[in-house]
C-alpha cells in the first residue's frame, strides 16, 4: 500500500511505477518491495501469497548487520581495524596452519581479503570450535591483497564481537540497534560456541526490513538518534577494495557492504534479498525474494534497476501532486500477485492412499545374503 504521497518527497509516482514494473519483469519470485525516504515508508507491498507476518530468511544480508556490531565495538575502542586476529584467538590455533594467518587483521576480515571459507556450508558438521576450523584453511592470497568472498570471515568478526563486548552479536544488536527501533521479532542462528553465525542465518519481517532501510538511508540515525557510529558506517559503505570479477553496478566492496554505482551501496543476500541505498538522497529500496540467476545475478540486477529507474532520476525537493500517477501506481501494487502452480489442487491418488495403514518393506543385503525386513 502507498503510505505517503511520493511527490511530497520529490519522488515521481511514474518513476516508482517504472521501477516496480522493471523489477517484476526481470526479477522472478519477488516476495516484497518497500521504498523509504527520509524517515518514512513511501510504500511497502507484500506480493500475494506473501504477507508481512512470516519472517524472511535473509542469507548474506546478515553480513551487513553483523558489520554494524563490529562498528559499535570499534567505536568504543574495544576493537581496532588493524588488530591481529590471532591476538584474540591464540588458544584456538590448530597445530598446523598457514603462517600467513599470523598477519590477518580485522580490516582484512571486513573487506573479504582474508581466507577462503567461502560458504556457510564450510561449517556443516563441525561440532567443535568453528574458530579453529576457520584457521585450518589455506589462504589463497596474502592477507589484504585480493578480494575473495568469505562467509567464514563474517563468523570470525562475530566471534571478535563476542570476545570484546562480552555478548554475542544478536544480543548486542537487540540492545543497541533493534530494540530502540521497535524491532522485537528477530532470529539469528548461533554456532556451537555460542557466537551468532554472523554471515547468514538472520530472519526478519518485511516491516522491520523497511526500518533497517530507513536507518541506512539516514546513515545510522533513527528519529534523530545515532544508533550506528556515523564515521564507521561512512567508511563501511565506501569502496575499500576492488571486486574485479563483479560487473556493473558493483563498484567495489566496503566493510561487508557492496558499493554500487551513483553514490549508492547495497546490502546483498542470496536470491534477491537486498537493500539498495542512496544516502545522499536519503532514499532506499528493500526487496525480499526467492529469485534465481536465470536473468543474471538478482542482486546486481535489482541494484541496476533501482539506480537507473529511481535513484538517478530523483532530484528530491517537492514535486507537483500527480493524482493520476499515484492511482496507476496504487492499482499496479494492489494487483501484484505471484502465479500459482498449474494443475489440480487435489490428486486422484488421494482416495487410494489416504486414511490407510501402509506397510513398508526394505531389502537389506548383508554378506551376500538377502534379508527381508518388515516394518
Amino acid at each position: 500500500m502507498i503510505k505517503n504521497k511520493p511527490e511530497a518527497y520529490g519522488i515521481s509516482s511514474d518513476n516508482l511505477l517504472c521501477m516496480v514494473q522493471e523489477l517484476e519483469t526481470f526479477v522472478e519470485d519477488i516476495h516484497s518491495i518497500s521504498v523509504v525516504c527520509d524517515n518514512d515508508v513511501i510504500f511497502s507491498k507484500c506480493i500475494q501469497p506473501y504477507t508481512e507476518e512470516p519472517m524472511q530468511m535473509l542469507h548474506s544480508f546478515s553480513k551487513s548487520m553483523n558489520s554494524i556490531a563490529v562498528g559499535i565495538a570499534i567505536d568504543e575502542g574495544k576493537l581496532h581495524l588493524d588488530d591481529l586476529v590471532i591476538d584474540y584467538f591464540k588458544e584456538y590455533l590448530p597445530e598446523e596452519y598457514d603462517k600467513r594467518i599470523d598477519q590477518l587483521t580485522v580490516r582484512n576480515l571486513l573487506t573479504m581479503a582474508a581466507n577462503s571459507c567461502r560458504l556457510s556450508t564450510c561449517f556443516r558438521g563441525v561440532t567443535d570450535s568453528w574458530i579453529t576450523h576457520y584457521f585450518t584453511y589455506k589462504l589463497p592470497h596474502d592477507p589484504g591483497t585480493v578480494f575473495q568472498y568469505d562467509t567464514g570471515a563474517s563468523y570470525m568478526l562475530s566471534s571478535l564481537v563476542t570476545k570484546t563486548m562480552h555478548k554475542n552479536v544478536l544480543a548486542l544488536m537487540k540492545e543497541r540497534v533493534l530494540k530502540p527501533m521497535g524491532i522485537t521479532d528477530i532470529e539469528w542462528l548461533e554456532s556451537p560456541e555460542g557466537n551468532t553465525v554472523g554471515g547468514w542465518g538472520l530472519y526478519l519481517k518485511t516491516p522491520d526490513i523497511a526500518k533497517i532501510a530507513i536507518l541506512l538511508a539516514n546513515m545510522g540515525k533513527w528519529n534523530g538518534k545515532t544508533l550506528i557510529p556515523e564515521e564507521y558506517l561512512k567508511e563501511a559503505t565506501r569502496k575499500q577494495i576492488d571486486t574485479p570479477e563483479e560487473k556493473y553496478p558493483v563498484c567495489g566492496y566496503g566493510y561487508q557492504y557492496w558499493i554500487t554505482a551513483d553514490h549508492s551501496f547495497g546490502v546483498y543476500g542470496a536470491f534477491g534479498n537486498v537493500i539498495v541505498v542512496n544516502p545522499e538522497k536519503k532514499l532506499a529500496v528493500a526487496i525480499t525474494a526467492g529469485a534465481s540467476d536465470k536473468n543474471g545475478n538478482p542482486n546486481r540486477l535489482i541494484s541496476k534497476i533501482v539506480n537507473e529507474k529511481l535513484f538517478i532520476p530523483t532530484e528530491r525537493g517537492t514535486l507537483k501532486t500527480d493524482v493520476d500517477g499515484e492511482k496507476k501506481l496504487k492499482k499496479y501494487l494492489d494487483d501484484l500477485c505471484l502465479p500459482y502452480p498449474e494443475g489440480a489442487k487435489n490428486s486422484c491418488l488421494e482416495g487410494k492412499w489416504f486414511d490407510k495403514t501402509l506397510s513398508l518393506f526394505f531389502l537389506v543385503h548383508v554378506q551376500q545374503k538377502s534379508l527381508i525386513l518388515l516394518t
Side-chain angles (χ1 to χ4, degrees), residues 14 21 117 127-128 138 187 244 251-252 265 281 343 358 367 372:
D14 286 342
Q21 288 174 330
C117 189
T127 56
D128 51 3
K138 183 174 177 61
E187 294 180 10
C251 303
F265 64 87
K281 299 178 179 180
L358 305 179
Q367 293 182 345
I372 294 181

Side-chain angles (χ1 to χ4, degrees), residues 118 147 149 242-253 258-259 268 297 300:
R118 292 177 59 84
F147 173 88
Y149 199 72
D242 289 322
T243 50
E245 294 182 2
E246 300 293 332
K247 300 176 182 177
Y248 176 86
V250 172
C251 303
Y253 198 74
W258 293 90
I259 313 308
Y268 282 3
N297 180 293
R300 289 202 299 262

Side-chain angles (χ1 to χ4, degrees), residues 117-357:
C117 189
R118 292 177 59 84
L119 303 172
S120 58
T121 52
C122 293
F123 295 106
R124 181 177 294 164
V126 179
T127 56
D128 51 3
S129 170
W130 285 15
I131 298 171
T132 299
H133 182 71
Y134 184 78
F135 287 142
T136 64
Y137 280 83
K138 183 174 177 61
L139 274 63
H141 308 282
D142 290 343
T145 58
V146 178
F147 173 88
Q148 183 162 329
Y149 199 72
D150 181 2
T151 293
S154 303
Y155 178 72
M156 295 300 290
L157 290 167
S158 173
S159 303
L160 284 164
V161 170
T162 304
K163 185 89 171 183
T164 58
M165 300 298 288
H166 309 295
K167 60 187 67 175
N168 69 19
V169 164
L170 178 56
L172 182 65
M173 287 290 286
K174 281 182 175 179
E175 176 188 317
R176 303 292 187 87
V177 179
L178 302 172
K179 186 177 179 181
M181 297 173 68
I183 298 175
T184 56
D185 293 324
I186 177 173
E187 294 180 10
W188 206 336
L189 301 179
E190 288 188 2
S191 73
E193 296 169 291
N195 297 314
T196 306
V197 297
W200 72 100
L202 175 65
Y203 295 77
L204 286 169
K205 292 183 176 181
T206 297
D208 294 331
I209 297 168
K211 288 182 179 181
I212 298 294
I214 290 173
L215 181 69
L216 294 175
N218 288 275
M219 291 306 290
K221 288 185 172 61
W222 178 258
N223 292 332
K225 182 180 180 181
T226 298
L227 301 183
I228 307 173
E230 186 174 359
E231 286 306 311
Y232 175 81
L233 190 57
K234 284 181 178 178
E235 290 299 298
T237 57
R238 74 174 183 86
K239 186 171 81 168
Q240 300 290 343
I241 192 169
D242 289 322
T243 50
E245 294 182 2
E246 300 293 332
K247 300 176 182 177
Y248 176 86
V250 172
C251 303
Y253 198 74
Y255 297 153
Q256 308 280 289
Y257 289 86
W258 293 90
I259 313 308
T260 62
D262 304 300
H263 310 287
S264 301
F265 64 87
V267 176
Y268 282 3
F271 311 115
N273 294 287
V274 172
I275 299 177
V276 190
V277 184
N278 187 308
E280 291 182 356
K281 299 178 179 180
K282 292 189 176 180
L283 184 58
V285 177
I287 306 285
T288 62
S292 72
D293 59 359
K294 69 178 184 179
N295 293 320
N297 180 293
N299 298 341
R300 289 202 299 262
L301 192 54
I302 289 168
S303 289
K304 185 175 187 294
I305 292 169
V306 169
N307 272 316
E308 293 180 351
K309 301 300 179 182
L310 182 62
F311 288 173
I312 293 173
T314 298
E315 297 294 338
R316 293 301 313 270
T318 303
L319 296 176
K320 183 180 178 180
T321 301
D322 183 359
V323 175
D324 288 341
E326 188 178 328
K327 285 181 178 178
K328 289 177 184 176
L329 175 62
K330 182 179 184 303
K331 184 178 187 315
Y332 190 85
L333 292 172
D334 288 345
D335 291 344
L336 280 178
C337 65
L338 291 170
Y340 282 81
E342 296 180 0
K345 294 182 179 180
N346 303 94
S347 170
C348 61
L349 297 176
E350 289 181 10
K352 182 177 180 181
W353 297 110
F354 282 21
D355 297 321
K356 290 182 171 53
T357 300

